[in-house]
Amino acid sequence: MPRGLPLGTPQLSEPLRRERHRILHAVHDRVEEVAETAVDVMRAEIPSYALQDERFFDDVREQVLEHYRMQLAALAGDRDIAPEDLVFSRAAAMRRARAGFALEDWISAFRVGRQVLWDALLDCAGTSAEAQQAALSLVTPLMRYVDYASTHAAQAYVEYQQHVVADADRERRDLLDQLLAGVAPTRGPLFAAAQAYGVGPRSAMMAVVAVCVGDTRTGDLVSAENGYATSASISVAGPWAGRTLVVVRHGEVVAVPVVRAGMNAEDICAHFEAVQQRLAREGTMLSMGISTVARGASELPRAYQEARAALDLVSSGGGVAALPRLSPFEYLALRADDLARQLVDPRVRLLLEEDRRRGDTLAATIRAFAEADLNLRLAADRLRVHHNTAHYRLRRIEERTGRNPRRIADLLELLVALAIRDGAAEGDCQ
């Protein structure tokens, strides 16, 4: 932004210059009346202003008068406006921002002030052609002033909001750090912040950790935009209209949702899965790990480690691994190491690998048979195949592997081998 604002004076004949000064002096003589009109219009047209008391309008009136006197003096003396001339306006903008007024309301006040001043200039000009031409010479410098002054006001708003956001980020980080140490705050600003998120020493909470694994728009996996877009999406209240503590830290987004009355762990999982899917549609691919429920702040460190561990279960393309949705059997199978894979009988491993290439019909039969509590006819119905087809598949499995699916121990071994196979396939994608 330039050091000063040149209002610009067009080349005018001496009669037009005299007419221009006459108009400016006439408005200056009634400037308090004009300012009062501007305040009345602001009160009528800006809803947030209409709710304020007289002390507020005394401040507004003072600001309007300061702007009007500066504009009129500058136009009459053909001088530039310097940034330091608008210190009073920046201070007022800070006061409005601190009081919670929206920036558009502040800009609307500038618009009203400009319009009322222009109406006053036209009224003082009169109807002669020379007066009208002199008044028109004021249009451009008045617009320049309003643009310049409103830009300074907007900058003040942005500076204040950045300060507020920085303070809020710092407060959230400090609160999360204390919770991850297993302690809920009991006093001071952090206690108030915890209360705002519904977090107490004995609150039922979960930990969610999300990392960006791809961005179809930019290709940037670690941009701040990804972290803050994720944070904003998570912060949006779910159907229970409760704020969620969300912090961007160390390349990950950490959320601590509170399990409120009428909710359960599945509700939390479904909400975060919906967030992950919505962001994926928008181009941000996330991996999310969700913990089991922590019964109070003392258990939150454990929940956080669970959420971090759950991330290892997500494929490289992103997705959600929610521990509350996994059985102990499924979790152990997904976490199986190379030794566990080596312990699978080679005959079983070979059959399952071949079956995957051929469409997994035998794997589906094993699962359906187990889910039907060894009722072959029910399993066949669920597979939508004839009873004899299901019987043939079980016999083929026994012939190839030496394991009889009708025996509990053998069926369990087949299920474990199948879960290890699927877990290894997911790991290969990472």
Side-chain angles (χ1 to χ4, degrees):
M1 183 173 290
R3 172 65 181 165
L5 170 69
L7 294 183
T9 302
Q11 294 297 321
L12 300 175
S13 65
E14 187 58 31
L16 283 179
R17 182 178 291 277
R18 285 197 303 270
E19 193 66 17
R20 175 182 168 118
H21 280 269
R22 179 190 67 78
I23 296 169
L24 292 172
H25 281 93
V27 174
H28 185 272
D29 289 342
R30 48 181 286 199
V31 68
E32 292 188 0
E33 175 190 336
V34 176
E36 192 64 46
T37 299
V39 171
D40 290 342
V41 176
M42 290 176 195
R43 190 195 300 257
E45 293 189 2
I46 305 174
S48 62
Y49 277 37
L51 300 173
Q52 307 308 309
D53 58 18
E54 287 307 315
R55 182 177 178 182
F56 169 81
F57 285 108
D58 287 344
D59 184 29
V60 173
R61 191 175 295 105
E62 182 180 338
Q63 295 299 311
V64 173
L65 275 170
E66 190 84 18
H67 279 293
Y68 282 176
R69 285 168 175 156
M70 181 177 298
Q71 290 175 80
L72 294 171
L75 290 168
D78 297 332
R79 75 175 184 88
D80 294 347
I81 301 294
E84 52 266 28
D85 293 328
L86 293 170
V87 170
F88 75 95
S89 183
R90 290 175 60 85
M94 285 284 191
R95 291 197 297 276
R96 302 293 181 267
R98 193 177 300 114
F101 287 91
L103 176 58
E104 53 264 34
D105 290 345
W106 177 247
I107 300 302
S108 292
F110 267 98
R111 176 188 58 78
V112 168
R114 177 199 65 201
Q115 186 60 51
V116 170
L117 179 59
W118 176 242
D119 289 343
L121 288 166
L122 288 178
D123 184 56
C124 290
T127 58
S128 71
E130 193 171 65
Q132 291 290 306
Q133 188 175 352
L136 288 175
S137 73
L138 296 168
V139 172
T140 296
L142 282 177
M143 292 296 294
R144 286 178 179 170
Y145 177 87
V146 171
D147 287 345
Y148 190 70
S150 61
T151 297
H152 272 268
Q155 286 178 333
Y157 261 83
V158 170
E159 288 169 9
Y160 178 80
Q161 289 167 350
Q162 288 175 337
H163 172 74
V164 169
V165 168
D167 278 354
D169 280 347
R170 189 179 306 111
E171 184 178 74
R172 285 193 297 269
R173 287 195 300 270
D174 290 346
L175 175 57
L176 180 64
D177 287 344
Q178 185 162 338
L179 291 172
L180 292 183
V183 179
T186 57
R187 64 173 68 88
L190 290 187
F191 174 72
Q195 292 289 301
Y197 293 111
V199 174
R202 299 180 185 82
S203 299
M205 297 172 280
M206 297 167 71
V208 180
V209 177
V211 295
C212 183
V213 295
D215 191 318
T216 60
R217 301 161 300 179
T218 66
D220 184 0
L221 307 186
V222 294
S223 70
E225 178 186 350
N226 286 320
Y228 285 102
T230 301
S231 172
S233 293
I234 291 174
S235 298
V236 174
W240 297 274
R243 295 176 64 194
T244 298
L245 174 62
V246 186
V247 177
V248 181
R249 64 197 292 273
H250 310 315
E252 64 185 20
V253 178
V254 182
V256 182
V258 174
V259 185
R260 292 177 169 83
M263 299 170 59
N264 56 37
E266 173 54 30
D267 296 325
I268 299 290
C269 295
H271 176 64
F272 281 88
E273 185 174 51
V275 169
Q276 192 273 343
Q277 292 172 351
R278 183 172 71 252
L279 286 172
R281 290 192 297 271
E282 295 170 359
T284 300
M285 310 303 295
L286 296 178
S287 289
M288 265 189 196
I290 304 178
S291 75
T292 61
V293 176
R295 302 295 174 182
S298 63
E299 294 186 9
L300 197 60
R302 181 263 302 164
Y304 173 71
Q305 293 303 323
E306 287 181 1
R308 291 292 305 273
L311 283 176
D312 294 336
L313 307 179
V314 183
S315 68
S316 60
V320 177
L323 296 185
R325 291 176 168 177
L326 297 179
S327 68
F329 170 79
E330 291 170 326
Y331 177 77
L332 291 173
L334 289 171
R335 299 288 292 178
D337 56 16
D338 290 339
L339 177 58
R341 297 185 186 99
Q342 290 300 318
L343 292 175
V344 175
D345 188 307
R347 293 176 296 173
V348 175
R349 187 164 60 245
L350 178 61
L351 175 70
L352 294 179
E353 291 299 332
E354 290 177 355
D355 184 53
R356 178 162 54 191
R357 291 192 294 270
R358 294 172 179 171
D360 261 353
T361 56
L362 298 182
T365 303
I366 292 170
R367 291 195 181 97
F369 189 53
E371 291 169 1
D373 295 329
L374 281 62
N375 185 323
L376 186 58
R377 189 171 298 278
L378 178 58
D381 290 342
R382 290 177 177 175
L383 291 169
R384 297 183 180 180
V385 300
H386 193 274
H387 174 266
N388 290 339
T389 301
H391 180 75
Y392 167 76
R393 289 179 183 176
L394 292 186
R395 189 170 67 248
R396 186 177 173 207
I397 292 168
E398 183 177 3
E399 290 171 353
R400 290 285 306 277
T401 66
R403 269 69 177 177
N404 181 359
R406 290 181 174 83
R407 294 182 62 247
I408 296 297
D410 286 355
L411 179 60
L412 182 59
E413 185 176 347
L414 289 169
L415 289 169
V416 170
L418 185 56
I420 290 176
R421 184 205 70 171
D422 292 345
E426 290 187 8
D428 291 341
C429 294
Q430 295 183 23

